[in-house]
């Protein structure tokens, strides 16, 4: 830039050489080194041209580096005279030249109006980094004074600088855009300046769906007389924005000086006339290579010739706004990510807190269980050890033998204590088996009348020792007496409920056992007049190792497994259990069990001869590496009267199946091996073999692949005995 300024001065000298005097640092006298070191220059270089029509000084006050200089440019005669006084003692000029210089400077012809073309050339050089083009000067040189041009340019730079500062300091897009368009509208004296934003998300009130519209989102007006277009949207006429999006992205802008004499399409021209627009300009706002919206200027009362510097300025404004919009969107995206992370952290913290509480509860339950089980084991063991020791001691003393009645009583206490221990251990083992999925039901046809008598007799025996009255209300007709269930497990369910009712009923109270049924289900109720249960504690009744009394202070024995085991056994039958209770009045436990005879037992009504004639193949091959699953399948299927062969080696099984000739193959292996085996088995046996696979889970696409390979059915873990037996029976009998 400095070189261009020097070149400009030299051009001025060359064009006016005969009419003026040119001075530079070359005209200074070379002083002695010692003097130059003492007299330090206040400038580095200068170029001065003095003529009658122009006086111009270019003074380099400071050289920052090879590219940057601090310069002063002046056309003022007095400032030039002051500068000459400064260098008067060092200048090497003739007396005639000096007289001419001082004469011109003292009486300049055009002191207030230096040559404008030279000044415009200087301005072009100085404003080159801001794209200050030739047409800028052309727009104003004939109509405005240099002071007005400079003032407008300075104001434009001020606005751009203010927008930059706002972007750096404030992330509020509304503040940035509103401030910018208001100042631009005022500076350029535009009647209405607005932003037409594309794809604005609008949430519908009636639903959670989001609709995207194009609308005016920001606006600045010169006066209240001009109608507002805020939130204005017009779909039909603005479709060309979408069509022209590629052009806008490539730098296209629309500038119309007179709407009536423009080549706008009829729809848009009619709309502009309706809105009272005489001239307009539309410049795209591009954010991340996408058309975000348009900056639109309207002149409403007169036509307007849009000057190139105004267009350039508006383009700069759109670029600055694009930066603000991008920063705003990025900030909000980061905020959303931050909120999401905070929510995830809070969720994880809550999960950890819940896990800690569960662990604490589990630890407390374990402590309670150990305390309970220790207490329950110690009481009968104390009786067994103490009384057996007494019997052993007196059996050695022949002189002081115990009476026969005492011995019988002691032995009976020992036997009862042993039974309590056995019952306790059986409950623990049963519960462990049920939770591990190892417990099976032996479904058979039982007599509910016989079951009721057994329960009633047991309840009388337990209640007699506690002073509790027991009543039985049996309301089942003879034709509904037979019921399909696991008789032993049903007895265990009812005995647990009766024992629990008697345990929590005070002396002299009553326990009622009720039995009813219909075609589809049987209902068993155990009602007591005991202490009752708080509503808050009812959900804890069926929790394992959970007792409503602390084991250290409680007055009733038990491990907390009875009701939990009962609930599991009821659900294993496909039934449900419910409880209603009132404090100090008693509780009622209700068990409902479905009457679901196994299919294989219904089919067993066919005679042996008929079975032989039908030649039903009941051979099932289980191919499984998992001992637990293999054992479970063998026990279950064998109990259901099927011939089961368990093969472990999957590849050997392929060859052995030819000899075994089963009707069903149940396969539990890894996915890759399963696919190969399925393909081989089906290719060799075709439609004679029914193939089932066992999976943890199975997707739709995976099942489609297996089905294409010939797999007929799948089973999901954990295996459900009733579902498995129903599927097997259906396959065998069809």
């Amino acid at each position: 830039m400095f070189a261009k300024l020097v070149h400009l001065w030299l051009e001025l000298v060359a064009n006016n050489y005969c009419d003026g005097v040119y001075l530079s640092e070359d005209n200074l006298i070379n002083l002695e080194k010692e003097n130059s070191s003492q007299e330090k220059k206040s400038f580095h270089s200068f170029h001065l041209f003095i003529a009658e029509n122009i006086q111009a000084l270019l003074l380099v006050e400071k050289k920052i580096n090879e590219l940057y200089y601090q310069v002063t440019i002046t056309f003022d005669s007095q400032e030039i005279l002051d500068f000459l006084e400064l260098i008067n003692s060092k200048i090497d000029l003739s007396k005639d030249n000096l007289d001419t210089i001082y004469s011109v400077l003292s009486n300049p012809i055009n002191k207030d109006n230096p040559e404008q073309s030279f000044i415009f050339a200087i301005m072009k050089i100085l404003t080159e980094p801001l794209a200050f083009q030739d047409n800028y000067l052309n727009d104003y040189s004939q109509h405005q004074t240099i002071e007005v041009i400079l003032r407008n340019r300075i104001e434009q730079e001020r606005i751009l600088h203010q927008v930059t500062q706002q972007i750096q300091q404030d992330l509020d897009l509304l503040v940035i855009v509103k401030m910018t368009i208001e100042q631009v509208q005022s500076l350029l004296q535009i009647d209405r300046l607005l932003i037409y934003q594309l794809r604005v998300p609008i949430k519908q009130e009636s639903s959670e769906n989001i609709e995207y519209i194009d609308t005016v989102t920001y606006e600045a007006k010169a006066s209240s007389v001009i109608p507002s277009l805020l939130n204005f949207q017009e779909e039909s006429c603005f479709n060309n924005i979408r069509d022209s999006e590629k052009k806008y992205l490539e730098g296209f802008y629309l500038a119309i000086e007179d709407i009536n004499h423009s080549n706008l399409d009829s729809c848009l021209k009619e709309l502009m006339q309706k809105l009272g627009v005489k001239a307009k300009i539309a410049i795209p706002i591009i954010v991340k290579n996408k058309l975000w919206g348009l900056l639109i200027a309207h002149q409403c009362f007169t036509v307007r010739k849009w000057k190139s510097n105004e267009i350039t300025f508006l383009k700069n404004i759109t670029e600055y706004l694009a930066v603000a919009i991008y920063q705003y969107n990025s900030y909000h995206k980061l905020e959303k990510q931050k909120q999401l992370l905070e929510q995830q952290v809070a969720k994880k913290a809550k999960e950890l807190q819940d896990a800690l509480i569960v662990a604490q509860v589990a630890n407390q339950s374990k402590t309670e269980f150990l305390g309970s089980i220790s207490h329950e084991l110690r009481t009968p063991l104390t009786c067994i050890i103490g009384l057996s020791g007494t019997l052993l001691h007196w059996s050695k003393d022949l002189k002081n033998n115990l009476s026969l009645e005492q011995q019988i009583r002691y032995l009976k206490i020992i036997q009862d204590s042993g039974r309590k221990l056995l019952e306790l251990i059986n409950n623990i083992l049963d519960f462990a088996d049920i939770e591990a999925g190892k417990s099976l039901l032996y479904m058979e046809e039982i007599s509910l009348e016989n079951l009721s008598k057994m329960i009633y007799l047991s309840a009388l025996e337990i209640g007699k020792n506690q002073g509790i009255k027991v009543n039985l209300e049996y309301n089942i007709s003879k034709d509904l007496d037979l019921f399909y269930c696991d008789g032993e497990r049903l007895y265990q369910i009812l005995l647990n409920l009766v024992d629990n009712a008697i345990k929590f009923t005070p002396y002299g109270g009553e326990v009622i056992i009720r039995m009813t049924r219909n075609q589809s289900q049987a209902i068993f109720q155990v009602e007591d007049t005991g202490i009752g249960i708080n509503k808050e504690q009812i959900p804890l009744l069926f929790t394992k190792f959970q007792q409503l009394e602390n084991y250290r202070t409680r007055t009733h024995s038990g491990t907390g497994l009875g009701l939990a085991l009962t609930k599991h056994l009821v659900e294993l039958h496909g039934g449900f259990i419910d409880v209603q209770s009132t404090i100090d009045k008693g509780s009622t436990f209700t068990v409902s069990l479905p009457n679901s005879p196994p299919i294989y037992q219904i089919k067993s009504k066919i005679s042996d001869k008929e079975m032989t004639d039908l030649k039903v193949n009941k051979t099932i091959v289980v191919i499984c590496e998992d001992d637990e699953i293999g054992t479970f399948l063998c026990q279950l299927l064998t109990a259901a009267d099927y011939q089961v062969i368990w093969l472990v080696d999957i590849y050997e099984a392929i060859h052995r199946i030819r000899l075994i000739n089963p009707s069903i193959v149940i396969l539990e292996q890894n996915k890759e091996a399963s696919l190969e085996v399925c393909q081989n088995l089906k290719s060799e046996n075709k439609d004679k073999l029914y193939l089932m696979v066992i999976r943890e889970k199975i997707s739709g696409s995976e099942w489609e692949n297996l089905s294409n390979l010939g797999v007929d059915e799948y089973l999901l873990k954990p295996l459900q005995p009733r579902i498995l037996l129903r599927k097997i029976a259906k396959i065998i009998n069809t």
Side-chain angles (χ1 to χ4, degrees), residues 234-252:
E234 215 292 330
E235 294 293 335
S236 58
C237 290
F238 284 107
N239 282 335
N240 65 332
I241 293 179
R242 301 288 187 198
D243 301 334
S244 306
E245 187 166 347
K246 184 177 180 182
K247 291 169 58 179
Y248 279 118
L249 291 174
E250 293 173 351
F252 170 78

Side-chain angles (χ1 to χ4, degrees), residues 373-387 413-414 416-422 424:
I373 202 71
S374 300
H375 178 80
E376 294 299 318
L377 289 172
R378 185 169 56 247
T379 301
L381 281 174
T382 300
C383 293
I384 292 171
I385 294 171
L387 293 178
I413 293 173
I414 291 172
D416 290 342
S417 298
R419 285 177 178 172
K420 286 183 180 179
L421 283 176
L422 181 61
L424 174 62

Side-chain angles (χ1 to χ4, degrees), residues 292-511:
W292 182 86
L294 296 173
L295 178 65
I296 301 176
H298 286 163
Q299 209 65 25
C300 297
F301 302 109
T302 60
V303 297
R304 176 167 178 169
K305 182 179 180 180
W306 300 103
K307 298 180 177 62
S308 58
N309 81 296
E310 293 174 338
I311 296 173
T312 301
F313 178 56
L314 290 174
K315 284 183 177 179
N316 290 336
I317 288 295
T318 59
E319 291 173 359
Y320 279 68
L321 290 178
V323 172
I325 293 163
Y326 176 74
Q327 178 174 293
Y328 176 81
N329 292 341
S330 300
Y331 173 77
H332 276 266
K333 187 176 180 181
L334 288 174
E335 277 293 307
K336 287 182 180 179
Q337 291 176 348
K338 177 187 173 185
Q339 291 175 3
L340 181 61
L341 287 173
E342 288 176 348
Q343 290 174 0
Q344 291 176 345
V345 169
K347 182 180 178 182
K348 290 295 181 184
K350 181 67 167 57
E351 289 176 355
L352 289 174
Q353 181 68 22
D354 292 343
L356 179 61
I357 293 173
V358 170
Q360 291 173 343
V361 171
N363 186 61
Q364 180 65 26
S365 297
K366 182 188 73 173
T367 303
E368 293 284 341
F369 172 68
L370 291 175
S372 298
I373 202 71
S374 300
H375 178 80
E376 294 299 318
L377 289 172
R378 185 169 56 247
T379 301
L381 281 174
T382 300
C383 293
I384 292 171
I385 294 171
L387 293 178
S388 61
T390 301
L391 290 173
L392 183 62
H393 173 75
W394 287 111
S395 65
K396 294 178 180 179
D397 191 347
L398 300 176
K399 296 181 180 178
N400 297 304
N401 286 335
L402 290 173
S403 65
L404 182 60
E405 291 79 9
Q406 285 179 310
Q407 293 180 34
I408 292 172
R409 186 165 61 86
Y410 286 175
L411 288 172
K412 188 176 185 307
I413 293 173
I414 291 172
Q415 187 182 42
D416 290 342
S417 298
R419 285 177 178 172
K420 286 183 180 179
L421 283 176
L422 181 61
E423 181 184 350
L424 174 62
I425 293 169
N426 284 337
N427 279 345
I428 295 172
L429 293 176
D430 283 346
F431 193 86
D433 285 344
I434 289 173
E435 286 212 318
K438 295 180 180 179
S439 181
L440 303 177
L441 296 180
Y442 180 71
M443 305 299 286
E444 60 181 343
E445 198 172 40
I446 68 166
S447 169
L448 292 178
E449 185 178 4
N450 292 339
L451 176 67
S452 66
K453 291 177 180 178
M454 292 170 58
I455 290 295
Y456 180 60
L457 291 174
S458 299
L460 285 175
E461 185 67 22
I462 299 170
K464 181 177 65 175
N465 297 330
Q466 303 291 331
I468 306 298
K469 182 181 179 183
V470 178
N471 289 318
L472 174 64
E473 296 181 5
Y474 184 79
N475 301 310
I476 299 175
S477 60
K478 288 289 184 180
D479 59 323
L480 295 177
D481 180 52
L482 297 180
F483 186 76
Y484 282 99
C485 66
D486 186 325
E488 184 178 345
R489 292 300 193 185
L490 180 54
Y491 176 81
Q492 187 178 2
I493 290 169
L494 298 177
L495 190 62
N496 278 341
L497 294 177
V498 169
D499 184 61
N500 194 68
I502 293 173
K503 184 190 301 182
F504 291 98
T505 299
Y507 185 88
E510 182 181 13
V511 171

Side-chain angles (χ1 to χ4, degrees), residues 199-333:
R199 294 178 285 270
V200 180
I202 302 295
K203 190 174 182 181
Q204 297 179 357
E205 295 181 0
S206 57
S207 66
E208 295 296 323
N209 296 333
I210 296 178
E211 181 184 359
Y212 293 89
I213 63 171
D214 302 338
T215 184
V216 176
T217 51
Y218 302 93
E219 179 187 62
K221 301 186 299 176
S223 70
S224 59
V225 177
I226 300 170
S228 173
L229 296 183
L230 198 61
N231 300 322
F232 173 82
Q233 50 181 310
E234 215 292 330
E235 294 293 335
S236 58
C237 290
F238 284 107
N239 282 335
N240 65 332
I241 293 179
R242 301 288 187 198
D243 301 334
S244 306
E245 187 166 347
K246 184 177 180 182
K247 291 169 58 179
Y248 279 118
L249 291 174
E250 293 173 351
F252 170 78
Y253 66 90
L254 181 67
I256 300 175
E257 298 177 358
D258 187 349
I259 293 293
N260 294 327
H261 297 87
S262 66
N263 58 353
L264 286 177
D265 63 80
S266 58
C267 178
L268 195 55
K269 183 182 289 187
E270 185 179 343
L271 177 63
M272 292 297 103
Q273 292 171 347
K274 182 180 178 181
L275 296 176
V277 178
K278 302 294 184 183
K280 71 172 291 186
I281 187 169
I283 300 177
I285 302 173
I286 299 171
V287 181
K288 289 189 69 178
N289 299 320
K290 291 184 179 180
L291 184 61
W292 182 86
L294 296 173
L295 178 65
I296 301 176
H298 286 163
Q299 209 65 25
C300 297
F301 302 109
T302 60
V303 297
R304 176 167 178 169
K305 182 179 180 180
W306 300 103
K307 298 180 177 62
S308 58
N309 81 296
E310 293 174 338
I311 296 173
T312 301
F313 178 56
L314 290 174
K315 284 183 177 179
N316 290 336
I317 288 295
T318 59
E319 291 173 359
Y320 279 68
L321 290 178
V323 172
I325 293 163
Y326 176 74
Q327 178 174 293
Y328 176 81
N329 292 341
S330 300
Y331 173 77
H332 276 266
K333 187 176 180 181

